[in-house]
Amino acid sequence: MTNQCWGLTVGGGLVSLLASVTSAFAQASPPTSPVRPATTMTRAPGQADPPRPLVYGGSDHFGPWESLDDRGGPDGFNVALVRALGRHTGRPVVVTLTPWARVVHGLETGTVDLSAMGVSTARRTRFDFLPIIWTLHQTLTAPAERTWPLPDRLTSLSGEIVAVERGSLMHEVLLDLPPPVRPAMVLARSSSEALRAVLEGQGTLALGNAQAMRHAAGALDARRTASREVMVTGYHFVTGPGRAREFAWLEPALAELKANGTFATLIEQYLTPRSAAPTWSVWAFVLTGGVLLTAVVVALTWYRRVRRVVAAKVQAEALSVRRRQEAEQALHATERQMQQLVHSVKAIVWRHDLAAGQYTFVSQEAEQLLGYPAAHWLADAGFVDGIIHADDRAWVRSYSARATAEQRDHTMEYRVVTQDGRLVWLRDIVSVMVAEGAARELIGVMVDISEYKAAEEALEAAHARALAATRAKSEFLASMSHEIRTPMNAVIGITDLLLDTPLTTEQRQFVETVRSSGDVLLNVINDILDFSKVESGKLEFERIGLDPERLADEVARLMGERATARGLDLTCRIVGDIPGNLIGDPGRLRQVLLNLVGNAIKFTERGDVAIRVSASDIASDHATVRFEVSDTGIGISPDAQARLFEAFTQADASTTRRFGGTGLGLAISRRIIELLGGRIGVESVPGEGTTFWFTVPCPRVGGVAAPLRPGTLGGMRVLVVDDSRASRMMLEQTLLDAGMIVQTARDADDAMAVLRPDAWPHVALIDEGLADGGATRQAEQLRARAPHPVAVLLLSARLSGTPVTMERAARVMKPVRRSELLAAIDAIGRPVVAEVGPTPQAPVTPAGAPAAARVLVAEDNPVNQKVARLMLEKSGCRVDVVEHGALAVEAVRTGAYDLVLMDCQMPVCDGFEATRRIRALASPHGHIVIVALTANALAGDRERCLASGMNDYLAKPVRRDALAGILERYLPGVASAHTAA
């Protein structure tokens, strides 16, 4: 009994102790229930009936926000918050939780007064959004076993299978994605079912609200999951369309709940994750009782400390609520700043609802820029269309409608009329916002580009002025070319004719001086015209067959007489085998090479000038040709070399310089070579000489062709006798390249000294300009001592009418062409080959020569008429002359002519019109050969002549060789007969 009583006493004391401790904790701890005592509402007599219950509709599967509890009753954060609002404001509340589709239908039909949902553009058009409740963090959730990273944005879901709640905000967002990035979807009834579908392998990712996903994971006991946030949206109270004013009380009531701590308590109760409650066993309960007894004793000791800890916790909760409020205020401030930023931008920012056909937003810059109040944009659907300039309105309307229908962003530039009547250019940059496969809204930015347009118009005007100035310059050059070339034609033509008449030595010197001065003046004119073409970019190029060896030989032959007149040796050396199937512009390359050779002759007083041609980088489809012109002249200093290729620049630019020229030739040459894709340069040592070089890449046609050689010359022994060292070296190298055995000598004595009895040459090349007795005497001496007949090839620098009378002998002209040299050696060097070669014959008129051709000259200048008549008559033609184009047409119609030389600029009827009229005549008159005779030499003149129906083109002053070439081309019988005569 004693023990039992003691036990009862101890037990009673323990219970009393526990009760007192519990009471102490209750006094120190804050209330855990979010429900505050409701104020008792006593209706006074005659007071109105209480308000209609507020119907809140929510989802029955959206925990922890709203869902059904174990007993089927509504529960969750939203449910508790709405009930707290009802108690706080004295409004009765009815909560119904159903599938989400019914909730949406109830909002639209009015059977549901209030609900909560995430915000989206599409939902804003269907419902009235009320104050924000919370911020929803949308996450992607997957099993922890997933080995590849979770996507960080919704546009990266292509290839995934996403489980999402049907009708939810994220379901709508996925449907708005463009088809290329929209993932496959598994539609579930709730977030919990979406997560279950992923855990069971029906999908790869679950998409939904973070709190809902955590709640679902806890319900499914899915502890091993991984998640990643992809989107943040606002979570608002909403009501049916047009009912927002009925809930004006909601925002202040919600603010009061946040201020008194009710809102924070609900968050702690429903939205703060909690650890799962442990499962208690009997022994654990006994052990816990013992621990609790000990804890009670300790708790009594530390009572004061516990009170301080609890107070700190309450303070922390209050601080958390305050921080959330500050975050919301910061969010509102950010929104205001963004609006201020939009309004401060110097551009009109606007939004246009396509369904309503109205502007929903326009920035303040619209009023600043155009003068119209911003309210006009929002109130009048056709306002903006009405201020667009009448000339732009139709195309802007149609283009924007077409681009919007195609869901394509677009940019337009058009004019609008401001309120004060000014015209402003706007660049309108428009983005088309698409939802559910249809264009819903336009968002645009209008930028004032009036200054840009004004600058553009000024630039176009300046461009037009520049073109006019260029045309004026071209017309001036054409006019000056015509006015200068017309008298030059007479000067050069008459001097050429005069040199063919018997003259005294003094008279011939006078005439040659006039002719050379005319040539210099003509070269100056040509340089200026070519430089003008280079400056204007009108230098034109041909792409025809190019034979570099033939080109170099022709230049050497053309410049040979000038070099000989100055006592210089001009040689042309072809190094190796150069392809003959190249494509290029031989005319322009000839122009450059003539300029370089002419400069070399002009600046060289004694010695020689050498042309050297080689090829490199030879392939089946291209090759690079290199031309070099070397001289033994005055040389060029390094300072002068640096500026040598500039326009109007010479190595010696002093007023006491000995050499004339414009200084344009090298500048033109450089530009030509650069336009052909090549390079040009110079190497020089003052006092020793200069080498100019240029390279040009050329395409090939027909593949690699085998080099052609005249006969088999390998092993033939050749003796070269020439007092010019440069000429000997060039001939020696050329013959060695052909496989011959070569000996060289300066004169007859030197030749006799180098010859051995057992190595006498088969062919002797002897210069006719030797000072010691002449080539004929030395050839006879050589043959007299030779053990066998020796063929003799005479090298002559001047044309000679004396025939070669020796056997096995021939003559070639200097500068020697490689092809002619090898052909002549092959012809006379073989005992079995009959004597052939170009041997001048006494003038003999062949029997049966054709009758002289009839040529009509249409020229208004009397002096040029006389020059043309004399040149043609000396060529064996019968000539008639008329003064203008109309007479030329009549003469062709009534006469029988073989060719017409047609001046282009004549009174009454010019050459172009006369040619068109002649071509309109009946056959055969309409098919007569017409050659333009004009003083114009600018780019496009030749094309204009050919376009009018002319066959060819001759520029004044007309050279006899150029005229002979025309006659040879179109009247070959007459030209041949005249040549023979």
Side-chain angles (χ1 to χ4, degrees), residues 361-415:
F361 174 81
V362 62
S363 62
Q364 297 174 358
E365 183 64 17
E367 186 170 351
Q368 297 292 330
L369 179 60
L370 304 180
Y372 302 102
H376 288 11
W377 294 60
L378 306 179
D380 186 357
F383 170 73
V384 176
D385 191 64
I387 66 174
I388 297 177
H389 192 278
D391 294 342
D392 298 339
R393 188 176 301 142
W395 76 261
V396 169
R397 186 188 299 125
S398 67
Y399 179 77
S400 181
R402 185 170 64 253
T404 303
E406 297 172 357
Q407 300 180 5
R408 173 170 49 86
D409 296 347
H410 50 284
T411 300
M412 302 173 290
E413 294 181 358
Y414 52 84
R415 295 162 292 177

Side-chain angles (χ1 to χ4, degrees), residues 246-420:
E246 299 176 21
F247 296 88
W249 56 270
L250 184 60
E251 185 170 1
L254 186 61
E256 291 175 8
L257 292 184
K258 291 180 180 180
N260 64 29
T262 302
F263 190 86
T265 303
L266 294 178
I267 291 174
E268 176 68 19
Q269 181 177 353
Y270 289 98
L271 302 184
T272 303
R274 299 179 180 275
S275 302
T279 303
W280 292 81
S281 64
V282 175
W283 288 106
F285 182 78
V286 174
L287 180 61
T288 302
V291 174
L292 181 61
L293 180 61
T294 305
V296 168
V297 176
V298 174
L300 291 175
T301 306
W302 296 95
Y303 172 68
R304 294 181 179 273
R305 184 175 181 181
V306 169
R307 287 182 61 88
R308 289 196 298 271
V309 171
V310 172
K313 182 177 180 182
V314 173
Q315 185 178 3
E317 289 291 341
L319 180 62
S320 176
V321 172
R322 186 167 62 253
R323 286 178 177 175
R324 290 191 183 97
Q325 293 174 346
E326 291 174 353
E328 291 177 357
Q329 294 173 357
L331 178 61
H332 291 313
T334 302
E335 292 178 352
R336 289 194 300 271
Q337 290 174 359
M338 291 301 297
Q339 290 182 355
Q340 293 174 358
L341 179 62
V342 169
H343 289 303
S344 65
V345 172
K346 294 300 180 182
I348 303 174
V349 182
W350 56 268
R351 299 180 67 173
H352 185 269
D353 189 333
L354 293 174
Q358 293 281 350
Y359 283 88
T360 58
F361 174 81
V362 62
S363 62
Q364 297 174 358
E365 183 64 17
E367 186 170 351
Q368 297 292 330
L369 179 60
L370 304 180
Y372 302 102
H376 288 11
W377 294 60
L378 306 179
D380 186 357
F383 170 73
V384 176
D385 191 64
I387 66 174
I388 297 177
H389 192 278
D391 294 342
D392 298 339
R393 188 176 301 142
W395 76 261
V396 169
R397 186 188 299 125
S398 67
Y399 179 77
S400 181
R402 185 170 64 253
T404 303
E406 297 172 357
Q407 300 180 5
R408 173 170 49 86
D409 296 347
H410 50 284
T411 300
M412 302 173 290
E413 294 181 358
Y414 52 84
R415 295 162 292 177
V416 297
V417 182
T418 64
Q419 192 175 37
D420 57 6

